[in-house]
């Protein structure tokens, strides 16, 4: 596992990839709204009193496979489960696109998942991170890209967004936050605020059990309550844990427990080589969604086992995507605790 990183596959994403003209797009087969799964129960209540709204380009953190079908239009809209999304810029919702991002599909090792997750869990438990005061914000910066079918006239092609930056600030209770991401917002960003706190906010994560068995039972209980019945139960649980690892700030003890809990989900495998959105090679913990044929991969540094990012890879051909298509990719580039919303670490607030 300490082998030197190999050179990127020629088809891997790069910042200099040639781009096609930007056009309006259909809803992508991609990812779910930030902390969507933890908000679903509240959203279902809101649907009883809220009329559907016109579809907008969704957040790239939108997994179609986990969405309850009746909620898709609401998640793509301007009001999500009581969370006010207020555009602070010019409302431009298009992103430049290029050829579909592809990769070599790494070999899956079912027996290797448990020992790999054990190493990752130990490394996470040994990490010392500052707590978050109630007057502070969790800051997470990432690079993301989504892949989707685009129709122009009578022709449909599969394209990938240009790799772009995403910055999120979130209060510990989840009631206040800010998002800056081209394509989802105007130039000044978008407010993430509402009366109901995110269930994956720091304060809430800090209340979860750190015993792996108890934690996994909690994950299944909550994912069962909101998942699409057609989505395999184990896949929904794996996705839920991945959400708590990606655009959030779980305490170190909880992070270690999440990895140990994931080792007990049936179908979890190790992948000896995976590449995140910025080209960093690592090892991966993954699970195949039997419904879509896509494999969700959590990518870790081969030496330190630090979490690098996540991607979804089509490992079985489908009607939409060829084998090897990367349908979504994210690289976490910075996590920090800051004193003010929109403060960037290392820069003047």
């Amino acid at each position: 596992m300490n082998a030197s990183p190999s050179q990127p596959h020629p088809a891997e994403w790069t910042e200099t990839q040639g781009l096609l003209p930007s056009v309006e797009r259909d809803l992508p087969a991609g990812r779910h709204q930030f902390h969507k799964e933890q908000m679903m129960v509240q959203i279902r209540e809101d649907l009883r009193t809220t009329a559907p709204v016109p579809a907008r380009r969704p957040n790239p953190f939108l997994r179609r496979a986990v969405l309850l079908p009746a909620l898709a239009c609401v998640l793509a809209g301007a009001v999500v489960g009581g969370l006010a999304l207020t555009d602070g810029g010019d409302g431009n919702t298009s992103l430049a696109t290029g050829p579909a991002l592809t990769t070599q599909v790494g070999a899956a090792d079912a027996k290797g998942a448990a020992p790999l997750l054990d190493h990752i869990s130990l490394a996470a438990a040994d990490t010392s991170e500052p707590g978050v005061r109630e007057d502070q914000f969790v800051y997470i910066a990432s690079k993301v890209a989504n892949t989707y079918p685009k129709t122009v006239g009578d022709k449909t092609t599969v394209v990938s967004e240009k790799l772009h930056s995403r910055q999120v600030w979130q209060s510990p209770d989840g009631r206040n936050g800010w998002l800056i991401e081209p394509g989802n917002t105007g130039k000044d960003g978008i407010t993430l605020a509402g009366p109901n706190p995110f269930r994956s906010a720091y304060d809430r994560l800090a209340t979860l059990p750190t015993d792996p068995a108890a934690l996994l039972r909690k994950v299944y209980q909550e994912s069962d309550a909101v998942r699409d019945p057609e989505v395999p139960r184990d896949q929904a649980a794996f996705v839920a844990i991945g959400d708590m690892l990606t655009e959030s700030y779980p305490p170190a003890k909880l992070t270690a427990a999440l990895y140990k809990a994931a080792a007990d989900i049936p179908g979890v495998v190790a992948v000896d080589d995976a590449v995140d959105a910025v080209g960093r090679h690592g090892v991966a913990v993954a699970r195949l969604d039997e419904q879509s044929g896509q494999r969700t991969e959590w990518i870790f540094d081969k030496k330190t086992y630090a979490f690098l990012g996540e991607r979804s890879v089509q490992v079985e051909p489908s009607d939409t995507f060829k084998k090897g298509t990367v349908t979504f990719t994210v690289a976490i580039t910075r996590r920090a605790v800051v004193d003010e919303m929109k403060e960037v670490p290392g820069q003047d607030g």
Side-chain angles (χ1 to χ4, degrees):
M1 291 189 181
N2 291 334
S4 299
S6 58
Q7 292 298 318
H9 185 272
E12 298 286 4
W13 185 278
T14 68
E15 290 280 3
T16 58
Q17 178 182 0
L19 299 176
L20 297 177
S22 173
V23 296
E24 288 296 316
R25 55 184 247 183
D26 297 328
L27 285 175
R31 306 281 289 192
H32 68 285
Q33 190 74 24
F34 175 49
H35 295 324
K36 183 275 309 174
E37 289 180 17
Q38 288 73 36
M39 297 173 63
M40 279 297 202
V41 173
Q42 180 62 44
I43 294 173
R44 287 191 294 186
E45 293 298 319
D46 293 345
L47 276 176
R48 297 175 183 174
T49 57
T50 303
V53 295
R56 293 174 55 185
R57 178 187 178 276
N59 183 318
F61 290 85
L62 182 136
R63 299 171 207 254
R64 182 180 59 179
V66 187
L67 291 178
L68 293 171
L71 300 176
C73 63
V74 175
L75 286 173
V79 178
V80 183
L83 177 68
L85 304 182
T86 307
D87 195 342
D90 58 12
N92 184 2
T93 60
S94 62
L95 273 173
T97 59
L101 171 61
T102 61
T103 190
Q104 293 177 331
V105 176
D109 177 7
K111 294 182 179 180
L116 175 58
L117 280 164
D118 188 53
H119 287 304
I120 293 169
S121 178
L122 288 172
D126 194 40
T127 301
S128 177
E129 294 181 342
V132 187
R133 299 195 313 263
E134 288 304 309
D135 62 341
Q136 293 181 309
F137 293 85
V138 172
Y139 169 81
I140 299 175
S142 59
K143 294 278 191 177
V144 300
N146 215 7
T147 299
Y148 60 93
K150 179 181 69 177
T151 300
V152 178
D154 59 357
K155 184 178 180 180
T156 299
T157 57
V158 174
V159 298
S160 290
E161 295 170 341
K162 177 182 178 181
L163 188 67
H164 58 278
S165 297
R166 175 181 169 93
Q167 295 176 292
V168 169
W169 292 261
Q170 198 70 48
S171 63
D173 62 7
R175 295 177 183 273
N176 195 13
W178 195 263
L179 165 69
I180 296 178
E181 180 184 8
N184 274 344
T185 68
K187 63 179 181 178
D188 297 324
I190 198 167
T191 300
L192 304 177
N196 303 301
F198 285 118
R199 293 195 176 188
S200 282
Y202 179 84
D203 286 354
R204 196 263 173 175
L205 291 176
T207 69
L208 294 178
T210 55
D211 173 74
L215 179 58
L216 187 58
R217 287 194 296 271
K218 183 73 170 176
V219 169
Y220 272 108
Q221 178 185 12
E222 294 193 353
S223 63
D224 283 346
V226 300
R227 70 181 173 92
D228 183 334
E230 295 184 2
V231 175
R233 184 170 185 255
D234 295 326
Q235 180 67 13
F238 187 79
V239 166
I241 291 177
D243 294 342
M244 286 186 267
L245 298 170
T246 307
E247 199 166 81
S248 64
Y249 192 84
K253 288 184 178 180
L254 177 62
T255 303
L258 287 168
Y259 292 134
K260 286 187 175 293
D264 288 331
I265 297 177
V268 175
V269 301
V271 179
D272 64 356
D273 187 63
V275 188
D276 74 2
V278 296
R280 297 177 295 191
H281 282 256
V283 292
V285 173
R287 192 182 189 284
L288 175 67
D289 181 348
E290 303 94 325
Q291 181 189 51
S292 67
Q294 291 184 24
R295 188 169 70 191
T296 301
E297 299 178 348
W298 306 337
I299 306 170
F300 301 87
D301 185 273
K302 291 184 178 183
K303 295 182 179 180
T304 67
Y305 299 115
F307 181 78
L308 300 180
E310 183 179 345
R311 69 178 183 177
S312 295
V313 179
Q314 192 75 39
V315 300
E316 296 178 358
S318 71
D319 292 339
T320 304
F321 301 112
K322 297 179 180 178
K323 180 178 179 179
T325 301
V326 178
T327 60
F328 175 80
T329 183
V330 54
I332 303 300
T333 57
R334 185 73 186 271
R335 295 181 199 263
V337 177
V338 296
D339 293 329
E340 297 180 6
M341 190 157 64
K342 293 191 278 185
E343 174 186 347
V344 177
Q347 297 182 10
D348 294 335

